[in-house]
Amino acid sequence: MHLVLQMFFKEEHKKGRQYADLYELVQHAGYVLPRMYLLCTVGSCYIRSKETAAKDILKDLVELCKGVQHPTRGLFLRSYLCQVSRGLLPDVGSEYEGAGGDISDAVDFLLVNFTEMNKLWVRMQHQGSNRDRERRERERQQLADLVGRNLTYTSQLDGLDYKLYQGVVLPRVMEQIVQCKDHIAQQYLMQCIIQGFPDEFHVSTLDVLLGALPELQGSVKVHVILASMLDRLASYATTDESVLELYSKADAFNKLSAAATAVAQQHSEMPAADVASMYIALLGFTGKVYPDKLDYTDKVLTECYQALRARQLSSDSQAEKQIVSLLSIPLNTYDAVTVLGLHNYPSVLSLLSPPTCKQMAVTIVQSILKAGTLVGSESKVEMLFDFIAPLVKDVPGALDGTDEEDFAEEQNLVARMVHQLRSDDPDEHFQILKIARKHFSLGGARRVRHTLPPLAFSALQLVRAMKKKQRTDQAAETSCKTVLQFVHGIVAPLADVPVAELALQLYLQAAHSASEVARLEMITYEFMEQAFILYEEAIPDSKAQVTALQSIVGTLHRCRIFTAENRDVLVHKATGYSAKLLKKADQCRAVCTCSHLFWQEDEASQPDSDSAEPSSTGTSETNDVQPLVQDSDNVLSCLKRALKIANAAQQQLAVALKASDTSPAFLYVEILNQYLYYFEQGLPNITPAVMQSLLELAANEVSSDSCKQDERLQKIYSNTLEHIKAQQGGEGEVGQRYEAIKV
């Protein structure tokens, strides 16, 4: 429509009619609303012709539009005027500047139009009955952009500088905002100022902007306005380092902090969630602008606590959610230990309900793990456990609604955190572990199965660290002994949880450390004894017994601290338990495994040979590394016993009419591989003749029809034969030994 009218007036102008005459002519239209639209259109053409000053036409139009006082019609009319005159303002650098006016005229036109539009917009609220109030408010929200467009065009003027903004634009706009006394208008227009004008203007006019907040209507969401301003200023701070100097010069933090406090005090009816969201923005601003001033963060927490404690937080889930977000902000900026040491951090945390406190404890632990923060002093560890208490012990109400999966995930986080509790000083590290054990012991059986194992491993790492810093006095060895006794005290409760399999594995880990790192025979023996006791009394399941026995034999095989007498006792127990397993197949494999207890490889082939160093103290509690155990007779005895068990298993299946079962053939092939291992080790009593006999036995077993159909069995057997052929082509003593075997 606008373009059509413009084309009409341009055609009339080409016919010889002056724009001044057309401008005068349309004012005689009978109806005021069409008259004003025509006047705005011809006025824009009149300005483009430059036959008169732009400022005069603009001033005339903005005054004449007062003739339409219907709120909705008047808003659209003035919006049309603002739109058609946008490129015709006498801005700096504009073709209409000079005789047509200056930047002051352009600003005056936009501000007058804004003022009149705001009055019309506010008047809409007071038309009609109260039952239509919600509908009117929705309509006003939809028309808000028409009013804000004037401020947008003002902020986009090239000639708008800080002096003009401070002296003219801001005072007139703020005057209109405060005097209109309408919450919808005040809410929207304050946001227009914050989002529309440059950030550097806001920094220098903070006093004016913040001073207007208390004068706004009580129903205005002042916290949203302040939060929006803080977010904008925080983003501006990241653009240039010189901005930080500007903030310091303007004393921005103290002004914003005081404004937030004033808002919280003056609006006592403000919900706690809104108060918290306001301080979230202030804390975010503080972290970005003043990351090196931790006292500012603490001050924000102090003010937030004072504002929230006067409000009712019980059953206010939204408020608690906001408080959690507030407390999480400094955890993302600083290391968790520093944040937890703030004076008022626990005060704000105390406002939360037990379930939410647990949620915050999870956030703290996650922050420590994400940042890799080390907690390296006793006081800091005690402080940390005070904050995460809902995770390490039962707190009334904290477990409400927590399922097993979530509980296990939370405890796994705590378990991972244990490895962040350490110090470079071994003595202090040990004290830290003792503090952790004290707190974990309060968690009950449900928790200790998750938290005590990592504590035990951390203590074993400490033993290794102590040995690396080898001292020459007796105290060093005593320290290792003390730590290992500490580990014993950690593992013992796990047997009663019950998680006997886990406790047994920890005893074995501790035994290996006591043997190969600390060189303490009696403590190693005690750990092995405890492992055997658990095996006997607490592991009834046959599958678990097989796994446990394999672990026991593997650990005993690697422990080289034992004297012959102590080792014989433990080996006798292990071999005895192997023969007592429920299934013949398990017995056979276990006996084969036990054969390794009688044959240890050279030290150079051991993975931990670097840790098996002789003791330098020579005390009665420590032993040097014992000679390698290489008893070929007992090895062969175990292997022969395994063959007897495999034969017995085959006979049982034959009696049960299960001749098609291939499990005995598997056993023979596995025994063959055990023989091959010892054959390569050079045991004198495992001769090529013995190997040839065993090969024929295995070949006979796997040649049955049922075994030929078992692809897995055939694959294992063929791999074994390929290994023998590969060794026969090799060089050295092993190759020569294999040459005597015929495949």
Side-chain angles (χ1 to χ4, degrees):
M1 184 66 180
H2 169 65
L3 294 177
V4 173
L5 287 174
Q6 277 192 338
M7 291 297 297
F8 171 77
F9 288 123
K10 287 179 180 179
E11 289 296 329
E12 290 296 315
H13 183 66
K14 290 179 181 179
K15 293 177 183 180
R17 303 188 70 171
Q18 299 296 317
Y19 279 119
D21 296 335
L22 293 173
Y23 188 74
E24 183 71 25
L25 179 63
V26 297
Q27 295 187 42
H28 296 284
Y31 295 98
V32 64
L33 191 60
R35 180 199 314 157
M36 294 310 305
Y37 275 102
L38 290 171
L39 196 60
C40 292
T41 306
V42 73
S44 66
C45 295
Y46 196 4
I47 295 173
R48 285 192 177 89
S49 69
K50 299 181 182 179
E51 295 177 5
T52 188
K55 63 179 181 179
D56 295 334
I57 301 299
L58 292 173
K59 184 176 181 180
D60 191 40
L61 290 174
V62 80
E63 290 296 327
L64 288 173
C65 284
K66 291 181 179 179
V68 179
Q69 289 297 310
H70 186 279
T72 306
R73 294 170 183 171
L75 276 175
F76 280 104
L77 172 62
R78 288 188 173 275
S79 176
Y80 178 73
L81 171 62
C82 186
Q83 181 180 353
V84 299
S85 62
R86 181 181 182 185
L88 307 176
L89 300 176
D91 191 8
V92 172
S94 170
E95 59 183 301
Y96 305 104
E97 185 186 19
D102 56 20
I103 183 63
S104 299
D105 297 309
V107 169
D108 186 66
F109 165 76
L110 290 171
L111 292 181
V112 170
N113 197 52
F114 159 74
T115 301
E116 295 300 326
M117 288 185 74
N118 189 51
K119 291 178 180 178
L120 294 171
W121 189 41
V122 172
R123 195 183 303 163
M124 289 180 64
Q125 186 68 26
H126 306 290
Q127 290 185 333
S129 60
N130 286 334
R131 62 185 177 184
D132 296 330
R133 179 179 178 180
E134 292 184 2
R135 178 183 59 80
R136 290 197 303 272
E137 289 182 351
R138 287 196 302 270
E139 291 177 352
R140 289 190 63 201
Q141 296 286 2
Q142 295 171 355
L143 296 174
D145 287 345
L146 299 181
V147 182
R149 191 173 297 165
N150 293 277
L151 299 180
T152 301
Y153 291 167
T154 302
S155 67
Q156 294 173 350
L157 292 174
D158 293 336
L160 182 66
D161 56 15
Y162 172 70
K163 183 178 180 181
L164 185 60
Y165 172 79
Q166 181 193 37
V168 178
V169 176
L170 185 61
R172 290 176 63 176
V173 174
M174 294 305 301
E175 180 183 11
Q176 182 59 218
I177 291 174
V178 173
Q179 289 183 355
C180 72
K181 298 186 182 301
D182 179 80
H183 72 281
I184 295 178
Q186 290 178 337
Q187 186 82 48
Y188 174 73
L189 295 177
M190 287 296 294
Q191 292 285 11
C192 284
I193 294 176
I194 293 169
Q195 302 298 334
F197 291 95
D199 296 317
E200 57 267 26
F201 290 2
H202 296 329
V203 177
S204 301
T205 58
L206 271 180
D207 292 333
V208 178
L209 292 172
L210 299 177
L213 296 181
E215 299 183 44
L216 301 180
Q217 297 296 300
S219 55
V220 175
K221 296 180 180 179
V222 183
H223 68 282
V224 175
I225 297 172
L226 186 58
S228 177
M229 183 186 304
L230 288 165
D231 291 340
R232 184 74 185 267
L233 294 176
S235 299
Y236 179 51
T238 61
T239 59
D240 190 355
E241 293 184 0
S242 61
V243 176
L244 301 180
E245 297 179 5
L246 185 62
Y247 283 175
S248 299
K249 184 177 180 180
D251 196 20
F253 172 77
N254 288 324
K255 291 179 180 178
L256 291 167
S257 177
T261 302
V263 168
Q265 291 176 348
Q266 293 176 9
H267 296 269
S268 57
E269 76 289 349
M270 183 183 294
D274 293 346
V275 174
S277 66
M278 179 174 63
Y279 280 102
I280 286 174
L282 181 57
L283 201 56
F285 168 83
T286 304
K288 289 182 179 179
V289 181
Y290 308 101
D292 56 334
K293 295 187 177 181
L294 202 59
D295 56 319
Y296 281 7
T297 298
D298 199 31
K299 183 178 179 182
V300 174
L301 293 174
T302 302
E303 295 174 353
C304 180
Y305 172 69
Q306 293 173 350
L308 289 174
R309 68 177 179 177
R311 289 168 168 80
Q312 188 66 27
L313 291 180
S314 59
S315 69
D316 190 345
S317 59
Q318 186 62 30
E320 293 200 339
K321 183 178 179 180
Q322 294 289 354
I323 294 174
V324 169
S325 299
L326 174 78
L327 293 172
S328 301
I329 290 175
L331 293 175
N332 297 327
T333 307
Y334 310 98
D335 71 86
V337 177
T338 301
V339 173
L340 299 182
L342 294 175
H343 181 69
N344 286 284
Y345 196 88
S347 300
V348 180
L349 187 62
S350 66
L351 299 172
L352 300 175
S353 62
T356 314
C357 276
K358 188 184 71 171
Q359 179 186 347
M360 194 62 223
V362 170
T363 302
I364 292 172
V365 174
Q366 288 174 335
S367 174
I368 291 174
L369 295 175
K370 182 179 179 181
T373 304
L374 297 180
V375 189
S377 70
E378 298 174 47
S379 59
K380 290 180 179 179
V381 172
E382 285 282 11
M383 176 185 68
L384 175 61
F385 275 103
D386 287 341
F387 279 99
I388 65 170
L391 294 178
V392 297
K393 64 181 180 181
D394 291 333
V395 175
L399 291 178
D400 295 347
T402 303
D403 58 24
E404 285 298 325
E405 185 176 350
D406 291 340
F407 178 82
E409 184 176 350
E410 293 167 358
Q411 294 307 304
N412 287 336
L413 286 174
V414 177
R416 290 171 56 195
M417 184 199 69
V418 169
H419 298 289
Q420 302 302 119
L421 311 179
R422 64 177 187 267
S423 172
D424 293 333
D425 178 27
D427 293 328
E428 187 171 33
H429 189 170
F430 183 52
Q431 294 303 318
I432 288 173
L433 296 180
K434 290 173 66 176
I435 293 171
R437 178 191 172 185
K438 177 186 69 175
H439 287 279
F440 287 151
S441 63
L442 303 176
R446 192 181 178 196
R447 288 187 175 85
V448 295
R449 66 177 64 193
H450 298 280
T451 55
L452 289 186
L455 190 63
F457 279 107
S458 183
L460 294 178
Q461 289 176 348
L462 176 59
V463 173
R464 188 173 294 272
M466 286 180 171
K467 292 299 292 185
K468 284 185 177 180
K469 295 184 176 182
Q470 191 109 33
R471 301 171 184 171
T472 57
D473 57 352
Q474 187 174 347
E477 299 300 335
T478 304
S479 295
C480 285
K481 179 180 178 181
T482 302
V483 175
L484 288 168
Q485 290 172 339
F486 172 76
V487 173
H488 189 286
I490 293 174
V491 180
L494 292 175
D496 303 324
V497 169
V499 279
E501 294 89 344
L502 176 59
L504 183 141
Q505 295 294 336
L506 290 174
Y507 274 132
L508 296 178
Q509 287 287 344
H512 182 261
S513 293
S515 169
E516 303 308 292
V517 180
R519 317 303 306 156
L520 297 170
E521 180 184 7
M522 297 313 298
I523 291 183
T524 307
Y525 190 88
E526 173 64 20
F527 281 128
M528 293 300 302
E529 277 287 322
Q530 292 299 321
F532 278 120
I533 291 173
L534 282 179
Y535 178 86
E536 294 172 359
E537 300 179 354
I539 304 181
D541 182 71
S542 59
K543 290 184 178 180
Q545 285 181 341
V546 171
T547 303
L549 192 56
Q550 289 176 343
S551 299
I552 290 173
V553 172
T555 302
L556 187 54
H557 173 72
R558 298 178 67 194
C559 291
R560 296 184 50 210
I561 190 66
F562 292 119
T563 57
E565 181 180 356
N566 288 333
R567 180 179 176 81
D568 288 344
V569 172
L570 296 175
V571 169
H572 179 73
K573 285 188 176 182
T575 53
Y577 290 137
S578 299
K580 295 179 182 179
L581 292 174
L582 180 63
K583 297 180 180 179
K584 290 292 184 181
D586 293 336
Q587 291 179 18
C588 180
R589 293 186 176 96
V591 170
C592 284
T593 303
C594 285
S595 68
H596 292 273
L597 295 176
F598 301 101
W599 192 269
Q600 292 178 321
E601 297 85 353
D602 291 338
E603 184 177 342
S605 66
Q606 295 289 335
D608 291 335
S609 60
D610 59 334
S611 66
E613 300 175 354
S615 170
S616 61
T617 63
T619 66
S620 59
E621 294 180 342
T622 62
N623 288 354
D624 291 336
V625 177
Q626 299 296 318
L628 293 174
V629 176
Q630 295 188 340
D631 186 350
S632 59
D633 292 337
N634 276 319
V635 169
L636 187 59
S637 175
C638 287
L639 296 178
K640 288 181 177 180
R641 191 185 312 166
L643 283 172
K644 290 181 180 179
I645 296 172
N647 184 54
Q650 189 177 43
Q651 292 177 0
Q652 281 184 350
L653 291 175
V655 172
L657 302 179
K658 294 182 179 180
S660 60
D661 194 323
T662 60
S663 58
F666 271 104
L667 294 178
Y668 282 114
V669 174
E670 290 178 25
I671 294 171
L672 172 61
N673 280 279
Q674 292 288 341
Y675 268 90
L676 287 173
Y677 168 77
Y678 290 115
F679 182 66
E680 293 179 11
Q681 291 293 316
L683 270 70
N685 51 1
I686 299 182
T687 63
V690 172
M691 294 304 306
Q692 191 68 51
S693 174
L694 193 60
L695 271 171
E696 293 173 359
L697 176 62
N700 181 59
E701 292 297 331
V702 300
S703 62
S704 65
D705 294 337
S706 58
C707 291
K708 288 180 179 179
Q709 297 175 1
D710 192 325
E711 295 181 0
R712 180 168 170 265
L713 173 61
Q714 293 298 324
K715 183 64 176 177
I716 295 174
Y717 181 64
S718 64
N719 287 342
T720 302
L721 296 181
E722 289 176 6
H723 173 76
I724 295 174
K725 293 176 182 179
Q727 292 291 352
Q728 287 176 338
E731 299 178 355
E733 182 181 351
V734 175
Q736 293 176 359
R737 290 170 64 85
Y738 269 98
E739 289 295 336
I741 299 176
K742 296 180 181 180
V743 179

